[in-house]
Amino acid sequence: MALHTEWIRYGRDNLYSGYLAKPERAQDGQPAVVVFQEIWGVDEHIQDVTRRFAQAGYVAFAPDLYAENGERRAGLDGQSIEVVKRFLESVPPAVWHDAGARDEAMAKLPEPQQSTVRNTFGTLFGGLNLSAYEQQLASTTDFIRNEYTATKGQPVVSVGFCMGGALSAILASIDPNLAGAAIFYGRAPSDDQIAQISCPVRGFYGALDEGITKGVPDFAQKMKDAGKTYSYKVYDNAHHAFFNDTRASYNPPAARAAFAEVLSFFDEVTR
């Protein structure tokens, strides 16, 4: 399918930017999917996922949460993030979460690679404050729903991965007009946020991603107790980030099944 893709500035004073993809031959009046990034930002993988939703017939938009006024914030540029990715891929997964072992591994890196890894790793993982993105989340759906010609007045749904999965849930709690939200292995929202959710929510998790998946039944119960609509799937033999085909955690059967499920869900809530 031929797609139109572009980077767009939006929001007050064009403060924000994002990557948009849509079917080239689609007329105006199409539903939209907001695609929320992993912690790595709107990298080539997230751009590819955005294009996949466009190929399914949606206008898809991935807001770049690390950019202001069209520029990435210090330490969060694509090149620095790629350096951190390569470092993490070069060490055993156990090192990722062991501060001492991680520091020892970083100390073996030559300069300027070592400084880049230390600075960008600290910026990325030094305490995520997801509530800091709420203004941009709200501005994103406002732009898509009320300003962008191809989607003006049409249903908007969201999907996110890891960090973005948590943000998809947060958006559901702050945007009463959101048609649906999908969470791929993201942390559950707070009790206060659950109380504010007004759209159906779907979750997709890996059985081997215990740190996230073990909390899902409690999240499901809280959603049920609050009278919210939520269902989820847990895929056997799947790790965290099973949908990311650029990582060793990629699980094709789980990714195929989840993509089919999320497309069915979006079709249901955007009709």
Side-chain angles (χ1 to χ4, degrees):
M1 177 188 289
L3 298 178
H4 168 82
T5 63
E6 63 178 315
W7 284 89
I8 289 180
R9 298 280 295 277
Y10 69 101
R12 185 176 180 181
D13 299 322
N14 283 331
L15 177 63
Y16 305 124
S17 57
Y19 178 78
L20 182 137
K22 65 177 181 176
E24 200 169 72
R25 297 181 64 85
Q27 298 179 347
D28 292 346
Q30 303 301 323
V33 178
V34 177
V35 180
F36 288 121
Q37 65 188 54
E38 295 178 315
I39 201 166
W40 311 117
V42 184
D43 58 6
E44 177 52 38
H45 169 65
I46 292 298
Q47 292 176 45
D48 178 56
V49 170
T50 304
R51 292 190 293 269
R52 292 182 213 176
F53 282 105
Q55 288 169 339
Y58 294 93
V59 175
F61 186 71
D64 189 339
L65 302 176
Y66 295 159
E68 293 180 354
N69 294 311
E71 299 290 337
R72 284 287 184 91
R73 296 195 294 275
L76 294 175
D77 59 280
Q79 184 175 354
S80 295
I81 290 175
E82 286 300 321
V83 171
V84 172
K85 281 187 189 178
R86 289 195 295 271
F87 164 71
L88 291 175
E89 289 168 356
S90 72
V91 297
V95 172
W96 298 7
H97 307 291
D98 184 326
R102 191 172 62 244
D103 185 71
E104 183 178 342
M106 288 181 184
K108 297 177 182 178
L109 297 173
E111 292 290 1
Q113 182 182 356
Q114 181 180 154
S115 294
T116 298
V117 170
R118 289 187 184 278
N119 292 338
T120 298
F121 187 93
T123 302
L124 288 172
F125 297 97
L128 287 173
N129 177 18
L130 297 184
S131 63
Y133 298 110
E134 287 187 8
Q135 183 174 345
Q136 185 170 359
L137 304 191
S139 292
T140 299
T141 51
D142 178 68
F143 167 71
I144 292 294
R145 186 182 294 118
N146 300 315
E147 296 182 37
Y148 189 65
T149 302
T151 54
K152 193 170 184 178
Q154 299 304 306
V156 179
V157 294
S158 66
V159 60
F161 305 85
C162 188
M163 164 187 166
L167 290 171
S168 186
I170 290 174
L171 178 63
S173 75
I174 64 173
D175 184 349
N177 295 313
L178 195 68
I183 303 168
F184 275 72
Y185 35 83
R187 294 196 179 278
S190 68
D191 291 354
D192 289 343
Q193 289 166 336
I194 288 173
Q196 299 301 315
I197 292 174
S198 56
C199 67
V201 180
R202 296 289 186 274
F204 305 92
Y205 307 91
L208 302 180
D209 183 19
E210 295 182 0
I212 296 293
T213 305
K214 68 181 180 182
V216 172
D218 183 58
F219 174 36
Q221 186 62 51
K222 288 180 177 179
M223 288 285 282
K224 181 179 179 180
D225 292 345
K228 312 299 180 180
T229 301
Y230 173 69
S231 63
Y232 66 93
K233 292 289 183 68
V234 176
Y235 298 97
D236 292 339
N237 302 314
H239 289 273
H240 188 76
F242 67 78
F243 196 79
N244 189 331
D245 56 5
T246 70
R247 297 180 62 180
S249 55
Y250 177 55
N251 185 303
R256 285 196 303 270
F259 193 55
E261 289 275 356
V262 78
L263 286 178
S264 177
F265 170 54
F266 286 165
D267 181 60
E268 174 188 335
V269 298
T270 60
R271 284 183 178 274

